Amino acid sequence: NAGVTQTPKFQVLKTGQSMTLQCAQDMNHNSMYWYRQDPGMGLRLIYYSASEGTTDKGEVPNGYNVSRLNKREFSLRLESAAPSQTSVYFCASSGTQGALGEAFFGQGTRLTVV
Amino acid sequence: GENVEQHPSTLSVQEGDSAVIKCTYSDSASNYFPWYKQELGKRPQLIIDIRSNVGEKKDQRIAVTLNKTAKHFSLHITETQPEDSAVYFCAAKDQGAQKLVFGQGTRLTINP
């Protein structure tokens, strides 16, 4: 089973460039999440989607947009990248009932903005 | 919104001793509390979780306790081993809104 798949794994951007991080899950989960993890820091929630068709802001949404394309896919877009957005980005998904709501993480995208 | 505080930020214990990590949360609607372990360069992985209708849960050397009245929960690792060295995160989730918020993490080092 693939679980949660993120692309790309690594990316270098110049300040002001845009890019979209892709995330797909094959576990039929309703909820999906985007987190950023700065060096030595915790996981901060950027945006989440409780179900297909809905998205909500997390703790640090400024500078990001998301799209819940369908139940499987949840993308994160940086419209105009800034050095402060240099981080490791994790996508995660979870079921709602039955499975206790365990969140499964993708392998992460290491983004550097120069 | 939900705020999860985790302490300590770093913890060093001798192999064989116990380790305790504590978290508090702010949103009384939160009803699911997972703990994740993250090894260097890897993704976080669930090690144990607890629902709000349960006070304690054990899985071999790992246990979690929850005090819903005080809004705090703790991770206990007994008989620590070198492979327990990692960063541990607590989290809180409102199963209704599905918002999952993490604490700041604890870097646990097991000294041989």
Side-chain angles (χ1 to χ4, degrees):
Chain A
N1 289 338
V4 180
T5 303
Q6 291 180 234
T7 55
K9 292 183 180 179
F10 301 94
Q11 184 71 49
V12 179
L13 289 179
K14 293 183 178 179
T15 298
Q17 286 186 319
S18 62
M19 79 161 295
T20 299
L21 281 64
Q22 306 286 352
C23 176
Q25 51 91 10
D26 62 1
M27 294 174 283
N28 200 35
H29 284 164
N30 288 323
S31 302
M32 297 187 73
Y33 307 84
W34 277 105
Y35 294 91
R36 61 176 287 174
Q37 185 174 35
D38 299 329
M41 299 286 287
L43 296 155
R44 291 187 291 170
L45 181 63
I46 304 172
Y47 271 94
Y48 68 105
S49 170
S51 62
E52 184 179 356
T54 69
T55 60
D56 286 284
K57 294 179 180 179
E59 302 164 281
V60 289
N62 291 344
Y64 305 95
N65 285 301
V66 290
S67 295
R68 184 73 183 269
L69 304 170
N70 47 54
K71 191 171 185 178
R72 290 187 64 248
E73 298 172 289
F74 188 38
S75 63
L76 178 72
R77 183 160 178 84
L78 287 70
E79 291 290 351
S80 179
S84 61
Q85 294 178 304
T86 294
S87 191
V88 177
Y89 291 83
F90 286 100
C91 176
S93 71
S94 73
T96 49
Q97 303 298 329
L100 289 180
E102 175 183 355
F104 294 85
F105 283 80
Q107 77 274 29
T109 296
R110 188 173 297 275
L111 175 67
T112 302
V113 183
V114 298
Chain B
E2 176 65 276
N3 182 47
V4 179
E5 297 286 337
Q6 182 172 346
H7 300 281
S9 57
T10 61
L11 180 60
S12 182
V13 301
Q14 289 298 120
E15 182 178 352
D17 288 349
S18 296
V20 180
I21 303 170
K22 298 182 178 182
C23 290
T24 61
Y25 64 99
S26 61
D27 189 349
S28 57
S30 290
N31 51 10
Y32 172 67
F33 306 93
W35 286 87
Y36 283 78
K37 177 182 181 181
Q38 185 181 31
E39 297 177 342
L40 189 62
K42 301 282 186 66
R43 72 191 80 184
Q45 293 195 303
L46 181 78
I47 54 171
I48 195 167
D49 55 16
I50 191 168
R51 280 180 168 164
S52 59
N53 58 350
V54 175
E56 182 176 358
K57 183 177 178 181
K58 283 186 178 180
D59 183 3
Q60 298 183 5
R61 297 185 297 108
I62 295 173
V64 57
T65 59
L66 171 65
N67 184 328
K68 195 163 170 63
T69 302
K71 294 183 187 171
H72 65 72
F73 56 113
S74 301
L75 177 71
H76 305 253
I77 306 174
T78 59
E79 300 173 13
T80 53
Q81 301 170 3
E83 53 265 37
D84 294 329
S85 293
V87 178
Y88 291 82
F89 293 98
C90 63
K93 184 180 184 183
D94 174 355
Q95 292 280 56
Q98 288 297 303
K99 186 176 183 180
L100 179 62
V101 177
F102 283 80
Q104 298 88 341
T106 296
R107 183 174 300 280
L108 175 63
T109 302
I110 308 301
N111 301 309

